């Protein structure tokens, strides 16, 4: 019996498994965030499909590589791949933050030329392959601990990333950048009066305990994507590339899920007593228009070369 078990074990392709080409992957979002849970399930499946051909090795979240360093790590090849958002790697190239401004689903971006243009800029300026957008339908919101009765943030200190900087600054806020991992402490210590974040995810790190109000409407669309170092891509063979494109696309094709998640998270916020400060009618329209105006002005200022074309490709004409 023991001999048999040993023989069976010896027959496993251990050496082959150890040699399977592997891409190192990190997340710029904290490990306990919902997107990461979803990513890990996907990786498990990827590795089952890719056995002997190509596998993914999840290294970790911001404890492995700090949130705002992840883009550099992918660009230079310290890691091969990452789940991140453009706002976290404006220190590689500033156009990265423009993806928050897309007004059509990524499926449409793949048809209207926007996706190809993103590929071009990401390769040229970031040494990156933009594989897939894996979060959509998640508008950003302003969350507050002090009430406001109009879109005026004078005297308020707000936690931001590049996503919100131009808009909240235009509304008069004093802004302070932190990684998601530092938001709770900033709220707890009263260092900030509020923060920007998408509709979903505030429960992942217990921010609901330190949040009184959400301001509606939301604005932009949160973008989280898979990016790959371009040199790593060049080293892959046809079958490996095919696996990578197929699997990342499968994940992207499930983005409709985020619509349900947005609804559930909205209800969950109401349940724990987070009150909604709601701008209506013309004031709401003005608020959202100002968000896009400030956002695009910021992008075009840092990228007169690509900004205007991105605006044209990312905007739905009304
Ligand atoms: O940290 C942030 O608020 C941020 O920029 C972001 C971007 C995309 C998804 C979630 C958060």
């Amino acid at each position: 019996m023991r001999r048999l078990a040993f023989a069976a074990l010896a027959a496993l392709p251990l050496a082959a498994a150890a040699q399977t080409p592997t891409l190192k992957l990190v997340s710029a979002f904290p490990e306990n965030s919902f997107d990461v849970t979803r990513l890990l399930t996907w990786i498990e499946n990827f590795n089952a499909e890719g056995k002997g051909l190509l596998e993914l090795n999840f290294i970790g979240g911001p404890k492995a590589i700090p949130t705002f360093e992840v883009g550099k790590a992918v660009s230079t090849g310290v890691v091969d791949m990452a789940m991140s958002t453009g706002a976290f790697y404006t220190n590689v190239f500033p156009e990265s933050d423009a993806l928050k401004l897309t007004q059509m689903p990524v499926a449409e971006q793949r048809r209207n030329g926007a996706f190809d243009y993103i590929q071009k800029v990401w390769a040229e300026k970031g040494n990156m392959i933009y594989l897939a957008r894996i979060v959509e339908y998640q508008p950003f919101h302003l969350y507050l601990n002090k009430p406001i009765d109009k879109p005026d943030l004078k005297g308020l200190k707000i936690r931001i990333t590049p996503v919100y900087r131009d808009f909240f600054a235009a509304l008069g806020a004093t802004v302070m950048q932190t990684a998601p991992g530092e938001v709770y402490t900033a709220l707890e210590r009263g260092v900030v009066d509020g923060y920007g974040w998408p509709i979903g995810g505030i429960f992942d790190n217990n921010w609901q305990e330190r949040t009184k109000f959400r301001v509606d409407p939301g604005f932009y669309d949160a973008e989280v994507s898979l990016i790959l170092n371009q040199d790593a891509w060049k080293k892959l063979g046809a079958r490996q590339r095919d696996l990578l494109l197929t699997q990342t696309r499968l994940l992207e094709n499930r983005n409709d899920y985020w619509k349900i998640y947005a609804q559930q998270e909205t209800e969950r916020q109401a349940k724990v007593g987070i009150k909604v400060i709601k701008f209506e009618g013309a004031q709401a329209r003005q608020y959202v228009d100002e968000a896009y105006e400030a956002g695009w002005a910021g992008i075009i200022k840092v990228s007169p070369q690509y900004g205007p074309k991105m605006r044209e490709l990312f905007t739905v004409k009304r």
Side-chain angles (χ1 to χ4, degrees):
M1 219 24 222
R2 282 184 67 190
R3 277 188 57 137
L4 218 149
F6 180 74
L9 203 68
L12 282 173
L14 281 179
Q19 281 166 8
T20 301
T22 299
L23 297 174
K24 282 196 273 183
L25 186 158
V26 294
S27 163
F29 291 91
E31 290 197 20
N32 51 332
S33 61
F34 179 63
D35 336 35
V36 178
T37 313
R38 206 163 172 266
L39 183 75
L40 292 179
T41 311
W42 174 78
I43 291 173
E44 229 174 83
N45 188 59
F46 185 107
N47 289 346
E49 297 284 329
K51 205 144 220 52
L53 179 63
L54 180 68
E55 294 185 13
L56 302 178
N57 178 15
F58 181 69
I59 307 289
K63 288 197 191 84
I65 298 191
T67 297
F68 294 108
E69 298 301 320
V70 164
K72 275 190 199 155
V74 173
S75 181
T76 58
V78 169
V79 295
D80 301 305
M81 202 168 148
M83 178 175 81
S84 186
T85 182
F88 295 163
Y89 54 91
T90 53
N91 53 0
V92 180
F93 59 106
E95 293 87 350
S96 62
D97 190 34
L99 298 180
K100 69 189 179 193
L101 299 167
T102 55
Q103 293 180 333
M104 70 289 289
V106 64
E108 175 60 23
Q109 294 166 37
R110 286 182 185 267
R111 289 190 291 264
N112 80 350
F115 198 88
D116 291 340
Y117 199 74
I118 294 167
Q119 285 299 350
K120 171 186 142 70
V121 178
W122 262 238
E124 211 173 291
K125 297 202 73 177
N127 192 34
M128 292 173 190
I129 304 288
Y130 181 75
L131 287 169
R133 180 163 179 158
I134 60 173
V135 173
E136 306 185 72
Y137 313 116
Q138 293 286 301
F140 292 100
H141 287 263
L142 168 63
Y143 296 87
L144 289 173
N145 282 321
K146 291 180 183 163
I148 54 172
D149 54 12
K150 56 181 188 298
D152 180 357
L153 305 179
K154 271 189 224 67
L156 294 177
K157 201 159 176 192
I158 308 292
R159 173 270 173 186
I160 55 142
T161 66
V163 164
Y164 327 90
R165 179 183 295 277
D166 296 309
F167 180 37
F168 291 172
L171 296 176
T174 303
V175 295
M176 187 184 126
Q177 178 161 311
T178 86
E182 275 97 61
V183 172
Y184 189 91
T185 312
L187 291 166
E188 187 181 33
R189 297 193 182 149
V191 174
V192 294
D193 303 306
Y195 57 94
W197 193 258
I199 188 64
I202 71 160
F203 295 91
D204 294 357
N205 292 286
N206 292 318
W207 302 345
Q208 82 282 1
E209 292 172 1
R210 309 272 168 188
T211 305
K212 293 203 177 97
F213 307 99
R214 183 187 74 241
V215 176
D216 280 7
F219 53 91
Y220 309 156
D221 186 22
E223 166 269 332
V224 177
S225 300
L226 291 172
I227 48 174
L228 173 72
N229 173 275
Q230 190 170 218
D231 306 305
W233 171 257
K234 284 180 183 155
K235 284 190 206 128
L236 297 176
R239 286 182 58 223
Q240 293 170 319
R241 288 181 181 183
D242 187 53
L243 174 75
L244 199 56
L245 293 181
T246 307
Q247 293 298 317
T248 51
R249 193 64 175 271
L250 280 176
L251 188 56
E252 181 181 286
N253 287 347
R254 296 207 296 262
N255 280 349
D256 267 0
Y257 168 73
W258 296 110
K259 294 180 188 171
I260 300 165
Y261 181 68
Q263 245 173 25
Q264 290 171 339
E265 291 282 287
T266 306
E267 285 162 21
R268 203 173 164 195
Q269 288 181 20
K271 235 178 230 158
V272 299
I274 294 173
K275 293 196 182 67
V276 179
I277 297 170
K278 193 168 164 52
F279 301 137
E280 316 248 18
Q283 195 171 46
R285 270 196 304 280
Q286 230 169 14
Y287 179 75
V288 174
D289 286 350
E290 182 161 5
Y292 282 98
E293 279 310 316
W296 279 120
I299 295 293
I300 288 164
K301 188 169 163 207
V302 291
S303 184
Q305 192 185 359
Y306 299 113
K309 184 74 183 168
M310 285 179 138
R311 182 173 199 170
E312 183 191 317
L313 288 166
F314 294 177
T315 304
V316 172
K317 281 147 202 91
R318 278 183 290 173

